[in-house]
Amino acid sequence: MELHIVIKGRKDLAAQLYQQLREAIAAGRLAAGAQLPPSRLLAEQLGVSRKTVSDTYATLTYEGLLVGKIGRGTFVNAWAPPADRLQTATDLACASNLVKWQALPSPMRHPTRDNLLRYEFLGGATSRNQFPQDEWRRCTQDALRRIAQNSGFYSQPEGLPALRSAIAGHIAFSRGVKCCDDDIVVTNGAQQGLDLLARVVLEPGSIVAMEDPGYSPARQLFQAMGARVASVPVDDQGIQVDQIPDGTRLIYVTPSHQFPLGMPMSLARREALLVRAFDLGAIIIEDDYDSEFRYEGRPTDSLQSMDTRGVVTYVGTFSKTLLPELRLGYLVLPPAIHGAVLKAKQLTDQHSSTLPQWALAKFISEGYLLKHIRRCHSVYAGRRERILQRLAGDLSPWFEAVPTVAGFHMAALCKVPVSIPLLMTLAREADVGLYPLDVFFHDAPVRPGLIIGFGAIETLDIDPALDKVRDILKQIG
């Protein structure tokens, strides 16, 4: 038996070992029936952990290339299928489609734990320290008991009745949404809600009107469905309704806290938008992603609460109020599209996981959610105020904040020319995560600046982090 394996470096050890063993079997260097060295011995010879070798043997056994014989060892399977050359992307008939998908940017992809910096100003992220672990644990234990008592059948695609009832009560109180339990469909985060709406409303070539700048993942989703996205500029009152083109089927807006700039849509614009959508026969998507956190002025109700024509779909999420990993969101649907969206949900994934649904239903009904929001509101308000003070103080030569009264991110626009890529690079070297504003502009003239999230950074970390940013700005002039 010829077994020649070379491990290079200390990265991807299991992948290196797997590839070389698989190639040896395919080339016949490891013949059918040949015995492999014991995992402990091979690990010592290669200078890797025994677990790396054992896991590789297990993978090849699962693929049918190896077979383990109790008391004897691991052997090349005598009946192993030939290891043919694997297809590459360019070999496939769908090669051009794969290129299109792989080319999509990921402007809002969150860093992994290994890549997380000491100071993170990432938008849309929350601090785990704020999450009510004890209350959530009690609700999850209750959910496990309920699941143990159930029949074992699939659940409803629209979501558990207990959760839909809890959501209806919560958003009526906090956002003025007019709905009943039957109007709600529970989704795997807001992004699945957007996907379901796009599936039932759009066809290739359909026109979607979007704010510019706007939420890039939604734009990419609509374009992936074959839609033509019309960029509609925004001003200090929100989307410029008179520039929504004829033939539009879907209008995506963030009226309570415009993403990414942050200003709310004025009452006059809201009324004009509802009229325009009705005249077009279009559906409005109101993405109300983080407006439960409001810091100034009278709370503004949702756009959906003004809708008397059945044109607004309200999209909500618990990723911002709780944790993104929960992947729980919801749609409040107008009657015209309710049945179609429900069928799309059932065909997509049957239903969202019931364990977190039961837990969240109890979490809301027991009052834990409102308590958690009030606690977070106080924390976020303090962080927001401190960042605004710094932007109006020692950072004012370079940046100015866009006025915003809700959410937990803000936009800071450049007052003088600043190389944002260089600033970000130097900030990362100082363990500070900064994120650019320009990736959210498409056809509108780019306004350079930063999107500053304050949900994930601890309050006491804000000043040390911004001190580093100030010093870098002085350094680069």
Side-chain angles (χ1 to χ4, degrees):
M1 177 187 70
E2 180 185 350
L3 182 58
H4 180 67
I5 295 175
V6 178
I7 299 295
K8 298 180 179 179
R10 306 305 302 169
K11 292 185 178 180
D12 299 326
L13 303 180
Q16 291 186 56
L17 180 58
Y18 167 83
Q19 190 64 34
Q20 292 184 57
L21 286 176
R22 200 178 194 284
E23 290 174 355
I25 294 171
R29 297 195 303 275
L30 282 174
Q35 183 176 6
L36 272 68
S39 58
R40 185 185 300 276
L41 176 60
L42 185 57
E44 292 175 354
Q45 292 174 344
L46 298 178
V48 299
S49 71
R50 186 181 180 186
K51 184 178 185 301
T52 298
V53 178
S54 298
D55 289 350
T56 303
Y57 281 5
T59 301
L60 292 168
T61 300
Y62 177 78
E63 293 178 354
L65 297 176
L66 299 180
V67 60
K69 298 180 180 180
I70 298 175
R72 295 182 57 194
T74 302
F75 298 81
V76 178
N77 194 346
W79 300 279
D84 294 332
R85 183 181 70 86
L86 295 178
Q87 289 272 57
T88 65
T90 54
D91 295 327
L92 299 175
C94 61
S96 60
N97 212 39
L98 296 178
V99 170
K100 178 190 73 174
W101 280 92
Q102 291 169 353
L104 290 177
S106 302
M108 298 193 68
R109 182 168 180 146
H110 284 197
T112 64
R113 181 178 295 274
D114 294 338
N115 295 327
L116 204 61
L117 300 177
R118 173 69 177 84
Y119 308 104
E120 278 288 354
F121 288 103
L122 182 65
T126 57
S127 171
R128 188 174 295 276
N129 294 338
Q130 300 300 118
F131 186 70
Q133 298 282 358
D134 293 338
E135 292 92 339
W136 184 256
R137 187 179 298 109
R138 286 196 290 272
C139 293
T140 301
Q141 290 169 345
D142 180 76
L144 287 169
R145 288 192 292 270
R146 290 180 179 274
I147 288 176
Q149 298 167 1
N150 281 352
S151 61
F153 298 151
Y154 286 111
S155 186
Q156 306 95 322
E158 61 267 35
L160 295 176
L163 179 56
R164 290 185 287 118
S165 176
I167 291 173
H170 173 71
I171 59 180
F173 171 78
S174 64
R175 301 294 301 123
V177 175
K178 299 182 297 184
C179 67
C180 63
D181 305 3
D182 292 340
D183 298 326
I184 294 173
V185 173
V186 178
T187 61
N188 297 317
Q191 193 70 15
Q192 188 194 35
L194 300 180
D195 180 86
L196 295 174
L197 292 168
R199 287 174 186 269
V200 302
V201 174
L202 302 178
E203 296 174 320
S206 299
I207 300 175
V208 179
M210 277 196 66
E211 300 164 322
D212 190 2
Y215 184 56
S216 298
R219 172 181 288 268
Q220 292 167 6
L221 172 65
F222 300 143
Q223 289 174 332
M225 295 284 187
R228 293 187 292 130
V229 177
S231 297
V232 183
V234 299
D235 57 23
D236 58 357
Q237 295 189 60
I239 191 169
Q240 297 183 23
V241 176
D242 57 347
Q243 296 197 39
I244 296 175
D246 293 340
T248 295
R249 284 195 184 189
L250 199 61
I251 304 170
Y252 175 90
V253 289
T254 50
S256 296
H257 186 216
Q258 199 279 331
F259 187 90
L261 296 179
M263 63 281 187
M265 188 183 298
S266 69
L267 179 62
R269 287 286 172 84
R270 292 173 183 236
E271 292 172 344
L273 178 60
L274 292 170
V275 171
R276 179 63 172 153
F278 180 75
D279 292 343
L280 290 168
I283 290 292
I284 299 172
I285 296 178
E286 177 184 10
D287 191 346
D288 201 26
Y289 58 100
D290 67 355
S291 60
E292 288 178 306
F293 302 107
R294 187 175 181 84
Y295 312 105
E296 297 176 14
R298 176 185 173 276
T300 55
D301 285 341
S302 62
L303 177 67
Q304 191 268 0
S305 67
M306 301 173 57
D307 180 22
T308 59
R309 301 173 176 87
V311 297
V312 176
T313 293
Y314 182 89
V315 180
T317 178
F318 295 99
S319 295
K320 307 297 185 290
T321 50
L322 292 172
L323 280 180
E325 292 101 320
L326 291 178
R327 302 309 303 139
L328 280 174
Y330 56 92
L331 301 173
V332 181
L333 297 164
I337 64 172
H338 185 277
V341 172
L342 201 58
K343 288 290 180 66
K345 170 67 175 173
Q346 186 172 12
L347 289 174
T348 300
D349 66 354
Q350 191 68 40
H351 61 80
S352 299
S353 174
T354 57
L355 177 62
Q357 286 193 63
W358 278 118
L360 183 56
K362 184 174 180 63
F363 191 82
I364 297 173
S365 62
E366 294 290 327
Y368 295 138
L369 179 60
L370 284 177
K371 180 181 176 182
H372 172 65
I373 290 172
R374 285 194 295 268
R375 184 168 56 243
C376 288
H377 182 280
S378 176
V379 173
Y380 293 155
R383 295 176 184 174
R384 169 182 175 272
E385 182 61 27
R386 188 58 194 145
I387 294 172
L388 287 173
Q389 289 173 358
R390 294 296 299 269
L391 288 172
D394 56 347
L395 295 175
S396 62
W398 299 276
F399 292 104
E400 62 178 342
V402 176
T404 180
V405 297
F408 50 91
H409 83 262
M410 66 178 71
L413 300 177
C414 293
K415 296 169 66 175
V416 296
V418 175
S419 174
I420 296 297
L422 178 59
L423 173 62
M424 290 168 52
T425 299
L426 295 176
R428 286 194 67 84
E429 293 175 1
D431 226 11
V432 179
L434 296 179
Y435 298 89
L437 198 58
D438 60 2
V439 296
F440 304 110
F441 288 81
H442 298 278
D443 297 321
V446 172
R447 302 175 70 183
L450 299 172
I451 180 169
I452 303 177
F454 47 89
I457 189 166
E458 298 299 329
T459 305
L460 294 178
D461 287 339
I462 290 175
D463 279 324
L466 293 182
D467 287 345
K468 293 174 180 286
V469 173
R470 177 202 59 211
D471 293 344
I472 294 169
L473 287 165
K474 289 180 178 179
Q475 173 189 339
I476 64 177

